[in-house]
């Protein structure tokens, strides 16, 4: 009996055992192949994750200045990360910055308008016409003759003289201006006091060199 | 004789020229006419307020005198005010200043005077002399209460002649064209309780 025969006999006798051994061996080999490599995320993966985190933080931060957000966003964009989610977040932050800039611009314009209006109001309130109108109203609505007289005295301080002329336009047609009979400021102010009337509208004021009113033109047409 | 004839011819010619000039003078534009209509009505309303101030016993003497002067400026020289009473059929006419003085001195403890229904009964019409003349009617309600509580009241309808004339004056180097409104006589047309 040769050794080959013996081997053949052994195979025939134990073929089942052999198949099991082969199967187990192949299983062990296969499972060894599928086992992951025991290393951490790659540098690129880390960069992507960090970018996402920073971008999300930028989106959520409402107190950061626009300039700072722009600076940080630019730093992320400079990394040139080709990741769809990162690109989407960048677009969101850009949109947020654009919206904030537009809002800031609107608020600046609004503030400019408000300041201009305040300035216009300050100028108006310090103008003789405004002061005079206030006197007209307070004289016409004074509760007593004494109160009206006190206002008249103050109002006369705006004028070069109590006899400063007051002209009142009653009509304008075909290039002709018609006036009521000219009066003086003292008489006109007393007229408002007596008649308790709303004053005619100021049309024009002529000042003297000292900045006092030397002639007043009113109109009934407005 | 010839000289007299020539003189009359010249005068007649001048009068004719004046008449023609007047006829050719354009009527006031409607808005200008409306403005003077309104101005005259305003002067009458102003007078109404002045009369109520002068008559009011609460008005201080000095104020009443000042207001009399202002009211006087509304009237033409020689204008008169008619005064009536339920107690007499006679209508008395006083010069305007005298009327105001009497009004101030009325023997009542309280006086209340108000004017209402102020309107034209005769529109302002241009006269040959260029002035506009019209008549405005008013109703005056008078109430006087004496110290003993006796009350007298009447309502008088009065007609006020109004004269409006365009004049010119120089102010600040400018020639200003203005309408001078003057009130004439105020005549009583009826008095009721």
């Amino acid at each position: 009996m040769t050794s080959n025969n013996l081997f053949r006999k052994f195979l025939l006798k134990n073929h089942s055992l052999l198949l099991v051994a082969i199967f187990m061996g192949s299983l062990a080999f296969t499972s060894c192949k599928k086992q992951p490599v025991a290393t951490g995320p790659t540098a690129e993966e880390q960069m992507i994750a960090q970018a996402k985190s920073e971008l999300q933080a930028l989106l959520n931060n409402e107190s950061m200045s626009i300039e700072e957000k722009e600076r940080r966003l630019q730093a992320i964009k400079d990394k040139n990360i080709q990741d769809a989610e990162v690109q989407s977040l960048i677009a969101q932050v850009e949109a947020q910055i654009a919206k904030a800039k537009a809002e800031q611009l609107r608020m600046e314009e609004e503030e400019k308008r408000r300041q201009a209006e305040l300035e216009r109001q300050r100028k108006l309130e310090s103008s003789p016409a405004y002061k005079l109108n206030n006197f007209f109203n307070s004289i016409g609505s004074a509760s007593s003759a004494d109160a009206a007289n006190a206002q008249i005295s103050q109002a006369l301080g705006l004028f070069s003289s109590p006899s400063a002329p007051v002209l009142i336009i009653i009509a304008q047609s075909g290039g002709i201006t018609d006036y009521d009979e000219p009066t003086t400021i003292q008489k006109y102010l007393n007229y408002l006091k007596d008649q308790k009337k709303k004053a005619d509208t100021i049309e024009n004021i002529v000042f003297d060199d000292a900045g006092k009113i030397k002639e007043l033109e009113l109109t009934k047409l407005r | 004789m010839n000289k007299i004839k020539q003189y009359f011819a010249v005068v007649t010619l001048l009068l004719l020229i004046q008449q023609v000039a007047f006829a050719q003078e354009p009527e006031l534009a409607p808005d200008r006419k409306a403005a003077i209509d309104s101005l005259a009505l305003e002067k009458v309303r102003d007078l109404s307020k002045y009369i109520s101030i002068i008559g009011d016993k609460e008005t201080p003497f000095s104020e009443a005198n000042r207001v009399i002067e202002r009211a006087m400026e509304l009237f033409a020289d020689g204008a008169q005010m008619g005064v009536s009473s339920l107690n007499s059929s006679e209508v008395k006419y006083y010069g305007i200043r005298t009327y105001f003085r009497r009004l101030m001195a009325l023997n009542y403890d309280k006086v209340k005077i108000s004017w209402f229904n102020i309107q034209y009964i005769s529109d302002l019409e241009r006269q040959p002399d260029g002035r506009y003349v019209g008549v405005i009617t008013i109703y005056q309600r008078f109430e006087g209460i004496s110290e003993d509580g006796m009350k007298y009241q009447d309502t008088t309808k009065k007609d006020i002649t109004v004269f409006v004339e365009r004049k010119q004056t120089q102010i600040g180097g400018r020639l200003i064209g203005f309408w001078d409104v003057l009130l004439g006589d105020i005549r009583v047309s009826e008095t009721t309780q």
Side-chain angles (χ1 to χ4, degrees):
Chain A
M1 194 175 275
T2 63
S3 59
N4 280 346
N5 286 338
L6 283 172
F7 183 66
R8 246 182 238 141
K9 273 185 183 175
F10 174 79
L11 284 178
L12 284 169
K13 269 187 177 176
N14 300 296
H15 71 277
S16 303
L17 189 66
L18 195 63
L19 280 172
V20 170
I22 290 166
F23 178 73
M24 292 299 285
S26 73
L27 258 184
F29 179 74
T30 312
S31 68
C32 278
K33 268 185 83 178
K34 280 191 176 171
Q35 195 71 25
V37 182
T39 54
T42 63
E44 192 184 347
E45 285 170 342
Q46 278 183 337
M47 189 169 69
I48 289 170
Q50 190 183 350
K52 283 179 190 173
S53 163
E54 284 178 12
L55 288 165
Q56 200 60 56
L58 288 179
L59 277 174
N60 295 337
N61 194 328
E62 289 177 358
S63 60
M64 189 183 289
S65 69
I66 293 173
E67 293 73 22
E68 180 62 14
K69 263 191 190 179
E70 275 186 314
R71 196 185 62 74
R72 292 192 185 189
L73 178 66
Q74 192 56 49
I76 296 169
K77 283 167 80 177
D78 287 347
K79 290 175 185 170
N80 201 19
I81 298 168
Q82 296 305 315
D83 178 86
E85 198 179 338
V86 169
Q87 291 301 321
S88 166
L89 285 168
I90 286 173
Q92 286 179 53
V93 175
E94 280 177 337
Q96 193 189 54
I97 288 172
K99 193 177 167 189
K101 273 185 170 176
E103 178 63 13
Q104 192 179 42
L105 192 68
R106 190 193 66 76
M107 284 172 73
E108 281 170 6
E109 291 294 324
E110 181 65 29
E111 179 61 15
K112 269 187 203 167
R113 264 197 300 274
R114 205 179 63 83
Q115 288 298 334
E117 177 60 25
L118 278 174
E119 184 58 26
R120 195 188 65 80
Q121 189 65 22
R122 265 196 294 272
K123 274 188 184 167
L124 183 72
E125 285 176 17
S126 63
S127 74
Y130 186 86
K131 288 179 184 170
L132 196 53
N133 254 328
N134 273 350
F135 280 124
F136 284 168
N137 291 335
S138 53
I139 291 165
S141 61
S143 55
S144 68
D146 286 345
N149 287 338
Q151 291 291 314
I152 288 173
S153 295
Q154 284 186 47
L156 286 175
L158 297 173
F159 289 82
S160 56
S161 147
S163 58
V166 177
L167 305 174
I168 304 166
I169 298 170
I170 62 163
Q172 276 179 319
S173 176
I176 301 169
T177 301
D178 289 309
Y179 291 90
D180 188 359
E181 185 182 8
T183 184
T184 67
I185 187 59
Q186 187 162 41
K187 283 185 176 178
Y188 187 73
L189 295 176
N190 275 298
Y191 174 77
L192 295 180
K193 175 182 80 172
D194 297 334
Q195 300 292 335
K196 298 198 177 300
K197 265 186 187 174
K198 186 179 181 299
D200 299 305
T201 308
I202 295 172
E203 176 76 9
N204 188 35
I205 299 177
V206 183
F207 296 94
D208 65 10
D209 293 339
K212 300 271 189 180
I213 301 170
K214 67 173 184 180
E215 188 185 313
L216 179 63
E217 192 170 32
L218 307 174
T219 179
K220 289 187 185 294
L221 303 181
R222 275 185 276 137
Chain B
M1 195 65 181
N2 270 347
K3 277 193 170 180
I4 293 171
K5 275 183 181 173
Q6 279 176 348
Y7 173 76
F8 275 112
V10 168
V11 168
T12 309
L13 186 64
L14 285 174
L15 284 172
L16 268 172
I17 288 169
Q18 191 189 9
Q19 287 295 320
V20 169
F22 173 70
Q24 286 177 343
E25 196 177 309
E27 281 292 326
L28 273 183
D31 47 351
R32 293 180 72 200
K33 175 66 168 44
I36 63 168
D37 284 345
S38 172
L39 186 64
L41 274 176
E42 188 178 14
K43 301 291 179 187
V44 171
R45 289 195 192 96
D46 291 347
L47 174 63
S48 153
K49 185 73 183 172
Y50 288 142
I51 285 177
S52 95
I53 294 171
I54 295 165
D56 189 348
K57 297 292 175 190
E58 303 286 317
T59 306
F61 184 75
S62 61
E63 276 292 295
N65 278 314
R66 183 189 59 76
V67 172
I68 286 176
E69 294 311 314
R70 295 306 307 276
M72 287 300 299
E73 291 172 9
L74 294 172
F75 285 92
D77 286 344
Q80 291 191 317
M81 172 74 88
V83 177
S84 62
S85 164
L86 289 171
N87 304 324
S88 163
S89 58
E90 187 190 5
V91 176
K92 289 182 179 171
Y93 282 88
Y94 299 99
I96 298 297
R97 189 177 291 279
T98 307
Y99 165 76
F100 287 143
R101 295 276 174 225
R102 288 175 61 87
L103 181 61
M104 234 174 108
L106 278 178
N107 196 21
Y108 289 103
D109 198 39
K110 274 188 181 172
V111 171
K112 192 177 165 191
I113 302 168
S114 57
W115 286 15
F116 57 96
N117 284 358
I118 300 171
Q119 57 191 324
Y120 281 96
I121 51 162
S122 172
D123 287 342
L124 287 174
E125 296 283 354
R126 195 172 56 157
Q127 306 300 303
D129 62 2
R131 285 195 303 176
Y132 285 77
V133 180
V135 179
I136 292 172
T137 185
I138 63 103
Y139 286 85
Q140 174 179 287
R141 182 77 182 152
F142 177 93
E143 283 179 28
I145 300 170
S146 56
E147 213 169 354
D148 57 6
M150 290 290 284
K151 185 176 182 181
Y152 172 84
Q153 59 185 33
D154 67 22
T155 300
T156 311
K157 186 182 174 199
K158 295 185 172 187
D159 298 329
I160 306 169
T161 309
V162 183
F163 304 96
V164 185
E165 187 176 2
R166 187 163 164 87
K167 293 181 177 175
Q168 288 189 322
T169 186
Q170 192 106 17
I171 289 179
R174 282 191 299 158
L175 198 59
I176 300 295
F178 69 93
W179 289 97
D180 189 20
V181 178
L182 288 173
L183 308 182
D185 291 343
I186 299 184
R187 310 199 77 84
V188 172
S189 60
E190 64 181 56
T191 302
T192 57
Q193 193 151 20

